Amino acid sequence: EKGYETGEHAPGVKLSGCGAYKAAHHIIKTHAKVWHSYNTTWRSEQQGMVGISLTSGWGEPVDPHSQTDRDAAERYIQFHLGWFANPIYRGDYPEIMKNYVGQKSAQQGLGTSRLPTFSVQEKTYIKGTSDFLGIGHFTTRYVLQKSFPLLQPPSYHTDPDLAELVDPKWPAPGPNWLYSVPWGFRRLLNFIKTQYGNPLIYVTENGVSEKEQCAQLCDEWRIEYLKGYINEMLKALNDGVNVKGYTAWSLLDKFEWNKGFSERFGLYHVDFRNKNKPRYPKASADYYKRIISANGFPNPGEVMA
């Protein structure tokens, strides 16, 4: 979306309303081809697994008693996670996504939907091409219905007819998009369990960056973030979600998209100004070390039911 819709990220293509859909369509088909290639050529010998890693926030209805808000929250998750996961686990794009993009394309005078279509053969070929689901998750939004005027240019951002809100009470220790909302993680994992037949899940990314470098490497907010999110993942495990592994994002400070080295997600601080790039553990490194040594919280009192 940022690479082919808004052009913020490489390769910097700005094709509003269609670029991201086309790019995703190719990604899904090529993913399936790689899976089948491994399945037929290497699996019997290597006994390995091929999956896909998808990043998604959680969308919570502003008013859970409002059907309109619940529908908007459903569109949020389907236009993010479902966009890629639905074809792989259920054989096609989410119906709500096809309906919304199709209707808007028709209203915009286009002969076909801006969302590409899979042939019957492609649907069969793509469905089931994941031995596990990798999940990257960072934050949550409140969601409500919002209609956009038809006169403005088509856009992936306006297609689902929704607005995103945040609670000002949510901690925001990192960039302006990343709020700490641990309970959204458990809800996302349970959604995956229900929607896609409880697949094997590896959490491939979960963490928070910092707005300002802490001279003493005392990133207490990252410790609180990790504690909250890992705790909610443990609750999801108790719910029966098939989570097999968890990876904090990230081991080291590193090059972060168009933010370069200015946005630091690492458990280890990297001094980029020094030609040897020395690395120093932040407080979160020691905390995370204790969690993975114990394969859980070293102090059970930290875990809230």
Side-chain angles (χ1 to χ4, degrees), residues 113-162:
S113 175
R114 288 181 281 103
L115 182 69
T117 55
F118 295 114
S119 68
V120 174
Q121 292 84 355
E122 285 172 338
K123 290 177 186 177
T124 304
Y125 188 72
I126 293 165
K127 187 177 181 182
T129 56
S130 203
D131 304 318
F132 66 89
L133 177 61
I135 282 293
H137 174 73
F138 294 90
T139 194
T140 285
R141 292 289 185 270
Y142 279 122
V143 182
L144 74 165
Q145 160 79 28
K146 180 181 180 180
S147 297
F148 293 88
L150 282 170
L151 296 173
Q152 64 185 45
S155 166
Y156 163 75
H157 296 282
T158 58
D159 279 342
D161 277 352
L162 57 84

Side-chain angles (χ1 to χ4, degrees), residues 69-231:
D69 285 1
R70 290 203 303 270
D71 290 345
E74 175 74 14
R75 292 197 300 278
Y76 176 93
I77 198 71
Q78 294 296 356
F79 267 78
H80 286 83
L81 180 66
W83 182 8
F84 292 85
N86 221 71
I88 291 169
Y89 285 98
R90 305 179 78 168
D92 199 2
Y93 290 121
E95 285 301 315
I96 194 71
M97 198 173 179
K98 291 195 293 183
N99 291 341
Y100 265 69
V101 181
Q103 288 170 10
K104 293 207 170 194
S105 299
Q107 290 165 345
Q108 287 150 358
L110 302 174
T112 57
S113 175
R114 288 181 281 103
L115 182 69
T117 55
F118 295 114
S119 68
V120 174
Q121 292 84 355
E122 285 172 338
K123 290 177 186 177
T124 304
Y125 188 72
I126 293 165
K127 187 177 181 182
T129 56
S130 203
D131 304 318
F132 66 89
L133 177 61
I135 282 293
H137 174 73
F138 294 90
T139 194
T140 285
R141 292 289 185 270
Y142 279 122
V143 182
L144 74 165
Q145 160 79 28
K146 180 181 180 180
S147 297
F148 293 88
L150 282 170
L151 296 173
Q152 64 185 45
S155 166
Y156 163 75
H157 296 282
T158 58
D159 279 342
D161 277 352
L162 57 84
E164 302 174 25
L165 305 173
V166 297
D167 187 331
K169 298 191 201 68
W170 289 344
N176 56 9
W177 60 270
L178 208 171
Y179 293 80
S180 180
V181 195
W183 52 260
F185 193 22
R186 181 184 185 182
R187 297 187 188 194
L188 175 67
L189 292 170
N190 271 282
F191 174 88
I192 292 166
K193 171 191 169 188
T194 305
Q195 195 85 357
Y196 307 123
N198 203 15
L200 177 65
I201 295 173
Y202 286 92
V203 178
T204 46
E205 291 187 31
N206 176 240
V208 64
S209 64
E210 53 213 62
K211 287 175 181 170
E212 299 174 10
Q213 182 183 327
C214 182
Q216 289 76 38
L217 305 176
C218 49
D219 55 346
E220 297 93 346
W221 68 89
R222 186 174 283 109
I223 290 173
E224 288 304 310
Y225 180 99
L226 291 170
K227 183 191 296 184
Y229 276 76
I230 292 171
N231 192 22

Side-chain angles (χ1 to χ4, degrees), residues 6-28:
T6 65
E8 293 171 63
H9 290 176
V13 177
K14 298 179 181 180
L15 289 171
S16 186
C18 63
Y21 295 138
K22 286 181 180 178
H25 200 67
H26 291 307
I27 288 169
I28 293 163

Side-chain angles (χ1 to χ4, degrees), residues 23-34:
H25 200 67
H26 291 307
I27 288 169
I28 293 163
K29 290 200 288 184
T30 49
H31 161 79
K33 188 163 187 176
V34 170

